[in-house]
Each structure stands twice: as C-alpha cells, then as structure tokens.
Amino acid sequence: MSDNPQRSSGGGAGALSSTRATMVVRFRVVGPAAMLSHAEMARVLQRACARADLPVRYSEGFNPHPRLSLPLPRPVGVESEDELLVVRLCEDPAAATAGDRARAQANMMQALAAQLPEGVEALAATLAASNASFTPRSAAYVLPVRDGQNPGLAERIAGVMASEHCTIERASGDGKTARNVDVRPFLLSIRLESDKLIVEHTTGDAGSIRIDEILRLLDLRMEDLAGSIRRVNVVWETKKIQNAVQQPCSDGKAEGIEDATRDVD
C-alpha cells in the first residue's frame, strides 16, 4: 500500500524533508497501563505521536492509517521494561538540526515523552532507515515467586529442561479446535533465583511459548506469584538499520545493544 505524507501542522519534533526515515522508540510499561491490550496500547501511542506533532507517514485510500507498529505484542497484564515502537516518518527530523541526528533524536524523544500517559515511559528514540524492519528473536520473562512457598519447583524446572518434548494443548481464540503444540524447542533457559523465576525463550515466525503455557508447564498458578510478570531483554533482528537502537536493562536503564541487534544484508 502506498503512503500519504499526511501530518499535523505546527513545529513539534518534525521537519520538512524529502528524505523519509523510521523512528524506533524503546519504552516501558508498568502499573495499571499493563492492563491495556495490544490494540489499546497502539491507539495510546498513535495519539501521543499526533500530539507530539511527529511527521508520521499515513497509508493512502479513503481511510488513511498511521504507519506505526508494535512488532512484539505484549500479553495483557504483563509489565515490560523492553517494548519497541516503530514509526514510519514522511520526513527526516535530522534535516531540521543540520544533520545532527543525536539532537533530532533527543528532540523527538522529548516531544513524545511529554505526551505519554502514566505507566508508559519512553527510554530511547533512534532514527533508522526508512525501510528498516524489526523482528523479535528472543525475550525473557521475570516471574516473582514466593521464596520457599513453591515446593518442588526446582525439580519441575529441571524436568522440563531435561525433556526432549513438552506438548501442551493450545486453545485458539477464534473458536477453532484446540491443538497440541510442542513448546520445548522455544525454551532457551529457566532459572530460579531466590524470589524470581527467569524464563528465556525464542520468538519469531516459527512461533513461541505463551505466559499461561509457562505456568502450566511448571504447575504454577497466577496466585502463586508474588507480583506482576515482567518482560525484559528482547533481542531484535534488524535489516538495513542505520543506527544501533537502545535496549533497556532489566532495571529499566537504557544501554547500547549492538551485540544483540544484528544487521542482515
């Protein structure tokens, strides 16, 4: 679908330019905001981009849509220290700063951050190539557990990791018949560290494992957890990216991830 260079009027973080770009925003979601669905979060971010006067590209047609995406849906109720928003821009904001990309990125970051609601916090904004794509390859979930109140958990973890296959019944949300899925190939590691369970898994075109499935494999219930589940340390595969994006640590601070973000020719 072709694009419409529609944008709101005013100054803001944008600048007129014949060069397109992509804005990549790392952000966190905590507290009540974690209860927003994927579609609801997309609408929140769409409105924030409009209020920040970012030069967002729109699709053409009778009902133009802003070209922004959340490449890795977040389960409802799960907090995250490592979300990614990809916004296609009809202009390169660096043109307004005489090619100073660092200043353009800081301007965009400030403009967008000021429009985000409580519980949604921008961590870093980066300009990338207009045709850059972003595919999640792995992620980790931190599940807080009550220390000493889950007897046999360590043994169950060892059993799952030692298994060649872990088949679960996966229900479909569209009314189709449930099917059996072997989720063992998606599991990279499961570690029990005092009062938290850390599950690392792959994600991508081949599929992934869901939060509820992790709990079922380990014979845990939501009420067995001591707090909210958090997603951290997402590893992205990128194509034709111009600048390394920023990835937050599990404590929420941003740091470079050049080793975790791969350029693909």
Side-chain angles (χ1 to χ4, degrees):
M1 182 177 292
S2 57
D3 295 323
N4 177 4
Q6 173 179 338
R7 62 162 294 176
S8 57
S9 61
L16 292 175
S17 169
S18 60
T19 304
R20 291 176 172 178
T22 296
M23 181 176 73
V24 185
V25 181
R26 297 275 185 170
F27 67 100
R28 67 156 61 99
V29 179
V30 297
M35 298 307 298
L36 294 173
S37 69
H38 180 71
E40 290 169 335
M41 181 60 70
R43 287 194 291 270
V44 165
L45 295 170
Q46 176 184 336
R47 290 193 293 266
C49 287
R51 290 193 298 267
D53 195 28
L54 299 178
V56 179
R57 283 160 55 187
Y58 280 74
S59 61
E60 290 190 344
F62 293 106
N63 187 23
H65 294 285
R67 296 290 304 275
L68 58 82
S69 63
L70 298 168
L72 182 60
R74 177 187 51 80
V76 174
V78 173
E79 296 185 337
S80 179
E81 299 288 347
D82 202 358
E83 295 295 282
L84 192 73
L85 168 67
V86 178
V87 184
R88 306 299 180 182
L89 304 177
C90 60
E91 308 161 2
D92 187 349
T97 57
D100 187 341
R101 301 187 73 80
R103 185 150 62 93
Q105 290 166 175
N107 290 344
M108 290 191 305
M109 172 78 169
Q110 182 179 15
L112 181 61
Q115 303 302 329
L116 294 174
E118 183 178 357
V120 182
E121 180 185 353
L123 300 172
T126 305
L127 286 172
S130 62
N131 60 347
S133 64
F134 304 83
T135 304
R137 290 308 181 196
S138 68
Y141 287 95
V142 178
L143 292 75
V145 295
R146 295 181 173 86
D147 193 15
Q149 296 188 29
N150 292 281
L153 179 56
E155 290 74 15
R156 296 197 296 275
I157 292 172
V160 167
M161 296 309 296
S163 299
E164 185 176 351
H165 300 284
C166 292
T167 302
I168 55 92
E169 186 178 77
R170 176 173 291 177
S172 174
D174 54 11
K176 295 181 180 179
T177 304
R179 60 192 178 93
N180 290 328
V181 178
D182 181 11
V183 296
R184 180 61 185 87
F186 306 133
L187 290 170
L188 297 174
S189 68
I190 305 178
R191 306 191 311 275
L192 181 59
E193 298 181 357
S194 181
D195 60 349
K196 61 185 176 182
L197 185 65
I198 303 173
V199 180
E200 296 181 89
H201 66 90
T202 61
T203 186
D205 297 337
S208 189
I209 186 170
R210 302 172 180 175
I211 283 291
D212 65 299
E213 294 167 349
I214 293 171
L215 294 174
R216 285 159 53 194
L217 277 181
L218 299 176
D219 195 22
L220 290 172
R221 302 168 301 172
M222 288 298 295
E223 50 265 39
D224 294 326
L225 302 181
S228 300
I229 299 172
R230 288 184 299 123
R231 182 161 69 191
V232 300
N233 300 334
V234 179
V235 174
W236 297 88
E237 181 181 88
T238 66
K239 295 180 180 179
K240 297 181 179 178
I241 191 168
Q242 291 179 335
N243 300 319
V245 295
Q246 298 292 312
Q247 172 166 308
C249 310
S250 57
D251 62 2
K253 296 179 180 178
E255 64 177 7
I257 58 158
E258 294 183 7
D259 57 338
T261 303
R262 301 183 295 279
D263 291 338
V264 179
D265 297 327

